[in-house]
Amino acid sequence: MRRKITILSLSCAICFLAGCSSKNASPVDTLDNKGVIIEEMQDENNEAVSDTTQAEPDVNETSVEIDASRIIEDQSFEIQLNGWGDVRFVSCSPDDNISPLADVTFYLMEGDSVIYKMPSVYENDIRESGLVDGISFVAFKDINDDEKVEVIVGILYETGAGPQGVIPRTEVRIFEDNGDSFSYSKDLSEYVTGRIPDDGTIHDVCRNVTTYNLCNLDMEALYKDIKKIDNAKDFEGEWNATNCRTSVTASFSITDQNEYGFSFYGECYYYTHDGEISGKAYWVSDSMAICCQDDLDDTMSDGYMIFVLDGDHMYVRSDYGLGLMGMNVSPDHDYTRGEPVYINDNIAAETYTEDELSAIKELIGSDQYDFPFWYGTTDGCVTSSAKELYDGTECKYIECTIPTTAESYTAIITEDGRIYIMIYSYDTKSLYTNDPNWSSDELPEAIEG
């Protein structure tokens, strides 16, 4: 029997199926002698998706042929899927004969027949950018409390731009069952995709779906339902924000838990801004506690904050500015009692080689290297792309900003070893280069390659 998930428990403990990523497909013996699946349906979902994209109905108007060799066997599963009954969920690799940007596609089959094609995310199943590198997982979970499992897939793709472009990133797609069709949940899928690590798993998806759901709670109504709970889950301890940046983080100390709630003290950071929040939270359920501005020791604005315990993770969601918060400082994070994971831990190594870092340090000097270069690279916001200089030389183009400060840099590193780096500090800028033939005080012009 399917287990219902309520917003108060915020559990993701419904069975799922997941396989290893695969670029190679295997043919199946049950198809016709041409090795082709014939799908007959009206194909109306090949336009760019809106917030929630409705799939096409099963109308026998258009025949679509699928090469059986594109079926990814270890990402195709036999499953009893809601009202669809016993079906086979089939994942198919891109048709490279159509376009190098061809997308993966997904189908439901009964026996040898395709009965449904999952909604397209890109027009004509051609991606706007990024080459598909495989499928990392397929999962079937009820994540919206509708007593029907959603279909969740993780697709690996490469952008091909800059040193980080060859690192496969996970793109999440969530399809909601409408009974006789599925719809692509665009907002939720993009929210999750933007917050999971490059090698994200279904567990990362669950955590971010929980956060997304928390953002839509009616906290004012919840606060009216506070109650005495004799056997609440254990919130006490030291909690550190995880799956966040090292410079956008927080920590909580939770003490004095009893049947009414607990006391808390939190410190939160947004780059050079910081803030504090302390007070008491009261039980809404055995896994959720809530507080309002009247329960805080001090606050700058009205609002509410909730604490939710789900397994070994705690989630915090608050109204903007609650507590003694600086600009953009927030306690809203996923927390762990263990060692936190930071999404920018390896950003320097992903952006620069060791030889490049040594050359930059020698070029700009130790002081400038420590700050703003190294601090900006490891704790700021860094983007890297592949471009070309005026003479056609390929180069790596890196831009770095440090929010809450007036310091940043732009670096250009060519394939033949030339380095140009402009450091901006308040109203001044300084160019450093190892190119003896460059006499300008400005960076050379770089265009998209």
Side-chain angles (χ1 to χ4, degrees), residues 115-399:
I115 62 170
Y116 190 78
K117 178 180 182 290
M118 304 302 286
S120 300
V121 174
Y122 300 96
E123 185 175 358
N124 298 320
D125 292 317
I126 305 298
R127 298 178 59 86
E128 296 171 356
S129 63
L131 302 177
V132 173
D133 192 66
I135 298 174
S136 55
F137 59 80
V138 173
F140 307 92
K141 291 174 171 288
D142 182 4
I143 59 173
N144 62 2
D145 195 26
D146 64 352
E147 298 188 353
K148 292 184 291 188
V149 299
E150 282 66 57
V151 176
I152 308 168
V153 295
I155 302 158
L156 296 170
Y157 69 97
E158 298 176 359
T159 64
Q164 299 179 58
V166 297
I167 301 173
R169 293 183 52 82
T170 301
E171 178 182 288
V172 174
R173 297 183 193 171
I174 299 171
F175 300 102
E176 298 182 5
D177 189 351
N178 303 311
D180 58 355
S181 65
F182 282 82
S183 57
Y184 168 58
S185 183
K186 182 175 185 290
D187 278 1
L188 178 56
S189 298
E190 292 181 350
Y191 177 92
V192 172
T193 295
R195 287 162 174 79
I196 64 174
D198 291 347
D199 57 349
T201 67
I202 188 60
H203 304 291
D204 297 310
V205 173
C206 281
R207 285 198 294 269
N208 283 280
V209 167
T210 298
T211 303
Y212 184 87
N213 289 336
L214 289 178
C215 292
N216 294 286
L217 285 179
D218 184 347
M219 291 196 286
E220 182 177 3
L222 284 173
Y223 190 78
K224 296 176 182 178
D225 196 35
I226 59 177
K227 64 193 71 174
K228 179 181 177 182
I229 301 289
D230 290 325
N231 297 301
K233 294 183 179 179
D234 181 15
F235 279 74
E236 285 196 329
E238 302 299 319
W239 296 89
N240 292 301
T242 188
N243 301 314
C244 59
R245 301 184 66 86
T246 52
S247 46
V248 185
T249 187
S251 63
F252 269 96
S253 176
I254 295 179
T255 58
D256 303 325
Q257 178 171 325
N258 57 35
E259 64 269 31
Y260 298 102
F262 53 74
S263 300
F264 62 84
Y265 171 76
E267 296 180 342
C268 312
Y269 302 90
Y270 180 81
Y271 295 94
T272 61
H273 295 167
D274 58 23
E276 297 180 341
I277 190 165
S278 60
K280 295 183 180 299
Y282 301 95
W283 300 122
V284 175
S285 73
D286 67 347
S287 60
M288 178 183 287
I290 190 168
C291 67
C292 75
Q293 72 275 8
D294 295 333
D295 305 319
L296 302 184
D297 294 338
D298 199 355
T299 185
M300 296 173 63
S301 62
D302 294 342
Y304 299 86
M305 181 167 65
I306 52 175
F307 298 80
V308 177
L309 194 61
D310 185 16
D312 57 353
H313 283 261
M314 182 177 74
Y315 301 87
V316 176
R317 161 85 171 90
S318 69
D319 288 321
Y320 182 77
L322 195 68
L324 291 172
M325 296 293 162
M327 187 178 298
N328 293 322
V329 179
S330 172
D332 294 9
H333 288 285
D334 166 13
Y335 292 81
T336 178
R337 287 188 179 104
E339 286 296 317
V341 175
Y342 297 112
I343 61 176
N344 59 318
D345 266 352
N346 298 315
I347 189 65
E350 294 169 357
T351 306
Y352 297 99
T353 66
E354 287 294 333
D355 288 342
E356 290 169 347
L357 290 173
S358 296
I360 290 172
K361 186 172 185 178
E362 181 177 354
L363 182 64
I364 67 177
S366 295
D367 290 344
Q368 291 274 49
Y369 183 86
D370 291 341
F371 191 92
F373 176 79
W374 184 253
Y375 176 83
T377 302
T378 56
D379 286 276
C381 299
V382 177
T383 60
S384 178
S385 60
K387 294 191 176 184
E388 290 183 0
L389 295 187
Y390 60 95
D391 59 1
T393 304
E394 293 183 356
C395 65
K396 182 165 53 178
Y397 191 88
I398 303 106
E399 294 179 286

Side-chain angles (χ1 to χ4, degrees), residues 356-366 368-369 412-413 417-423 431-435:
E356 290 169 347
L357 290 173
S358 296
I360 290 172
K361 186 172 185 178
E362 181 177 354
L363 182 64
I364 67 177
S366 295
Q368 291 274 49
Y369 183 86
I412 297 174
I413 302 177
R418 284 175 284 161
I419 297 175
Y420 310 84
I421 181 167
M422 182 76 80
I423 294 179
L431 178 70
Y432 300 83
T433 181
N434 61 357
D435 182 356

Side-chain angles (χ1 to χ4, degrees), residues 405-408 423-430:
T405 76
E407 298 186 276
S408 60
I423 294 179
Y424 304 90
S425 180
Y426 296 91
D427 57 350
T428 64
K429 58 182 183 180
S430 304

